[in-house]
Amino acid sequence: GYNGNITVDSIGSGAGYERFCVTGETDIANASRAIKSSEVEACAAIGRTPLEFRVGTDALAVVVATSNDFASDITLEELAKAFTGEAKTWADLRAEWPAEAIKIYSPGADSGTFDYFVEEVLDDNDAALLGLEGAQFSEDDNVLVQGVAGDQYAIGYFGYAYYNENADVLKALAVNGVEPAQANVDNGTYPLARPLFIYSDAKIMQDKPQVAAFIAFYLSQLDDNIVDVGYFPAPTNAIYSSWGAWYAAVK
């Protein structure tokens, strides 16, 4: 029933937090990582208290082209070597793999996906990846899909949804021997699974009832949509907590 203008921008999680917590431009921030303490402090400086709503789980997929006929799994240690330049060729990772240069594709530094990968795989060493000669970066996952799919010796990573949409041209590698699948995400064995959130603020939700209504609609539609778009459901207790946060904000 809201008749005003609504703007939706597709940017990285870090840039989204900046708009929510620094400039105060947005009412809702989507994020593929939890908010940092420094970002909470930035929000407080403009009178906002971030309210967290867990909405799902993403398994970050490590992908190669379907034309890649030699790799079906990779370890976190091998990923770190490839994405820091310690390994220049596939043979540097495993002797039985071809002595061909590894072509690196990665989300850009404003992406929550990038933040998550750097933290979990590269021990927070983002400089090594960002300075890697020949690496291709894009905030648009579709650009990464096209790049990896078109090169037998390329490797990249992004949210499982983008792999799922392009499984005809991409192959997801098992990580540490574990496939990115619902059962492995739920039981905690897949090493690159991450929570998905949206954030708002109680005062925003009270002052702008359309924002509170949208978040309620969002939460009520998760069961029907989260799997269809390629993500995994959040644990039930996390969804209950999200509803609890919503009710506390609007009461």
Side-chain angles (χ1 to χ4, degrees):
Y2 178 66
N3 295 317
N5 292 325
I6 297 172
T7 300
V8 179
D9 280 343
S10 178
I11 54 178
S13 296
Y17 282 129
E18 183 171 347
R19 289 195 190 180
F20 184 75
C21 288
V22 178
T23 64
E25 295 174 58
T26 57
D27 298 319
I28 297 173
N30 299 342
S32 55
R33 63 166 173 82
I35 194 167
K36 298 176 180 177
S37 58
S38 59
E39 290 160 339
V40 173
E41 292 170 4
C43 269
I46 64 168
R48 289 185 169 187
T49 302
L51 197 57
E52 181 179 283
F53 301 92
R54 173 76 180 274
V55 296
T57 305
D58 185 18
L60 189 152
V62 177
V63 298
V64 295
T66 52
S67 58
N68 180 318
D69 56 3
F70 54 89
S72 59
D73 66 279
I74 198 164
T75 67
L76 290 174
E77 182 181 4
E78 289 167 341
L79 277 176
K81 289 179 178 178
F83 280 83
T84 58
E86 182 180 343
K88 303 293 186 185
T89 72
W90 286 93
D92 291 337
L93 296 177
R94 295 187 194 179
E96 66 269 25
W97 286 351
E100 298 283 349
I102 303 169
K103 308 290 182 61
I104 296 294
Y105 286 83
S106 169
D110 278 341
S111 165
T113 308
F114 175 91
D115 291 342
Y116 178 78
F117 185 85
V118 166
E119 180 179 345
E120 293 297 317
V121 178
L122 306 184
D123 196 26
D124 285 327
N125 185 10
D126 61 349
L129 174 53
L130 290 171
L132 191 57
E133 186 177 354
Q136 299 292 313
F137 298 93
S138 178
E139 302 294 350
D140 185 342
D141 288 330
N142 291 308
V143 172
L144 302 178
V145 167
Q146 293 167 14
V148 174
D151 191 330
Q152 182 181 7
Y153 303 109
I155 186 170
Y157 65 93
F158 34 71
Y160 184 84
Y162 289 96
Y163 159 69
N164 200 39
E165 287 179 7
N166 297 277
D168 55 332
V169 295
L170 295 174
K171 179 170 62 172
L173 302 181
V175 178
N176 286 358
V178 182
E179 302 282 345
Q182 178 78 65
N184 298 330
V185 169
D186 287 348
N187 64 27
T189 57
Y190 184 67
L192 294 177
R194 59 179 177 168
L196 300 173
F197 305 97
I198 62 174
Y199 285 84
S200 191
D201 166 89
K203 187 174 187 305
I204 291 172
M205 293 168 65
Q206 292 163 8
D207 292 347
K208 299 181 178 180
Q210 69 271 19
V211 174
F214 173 74
I215 294 173
F217 174 78
Y218 193 123
L219 295 176
S220 69
Q221 299 300 309
L222 288 174
D223 286 348
D224 291 336
N225 291 284
I226 198 79
V227 173
D228 289 347
V229 297
Y231 296 123
F232 300 96
T236 302
N237 62 340
I239 299 300
Y240 285 153
S241 294
S242 293
W243 274 115
W246 186 90
Y247 283 111
V250 300
K251 68 178 183 180

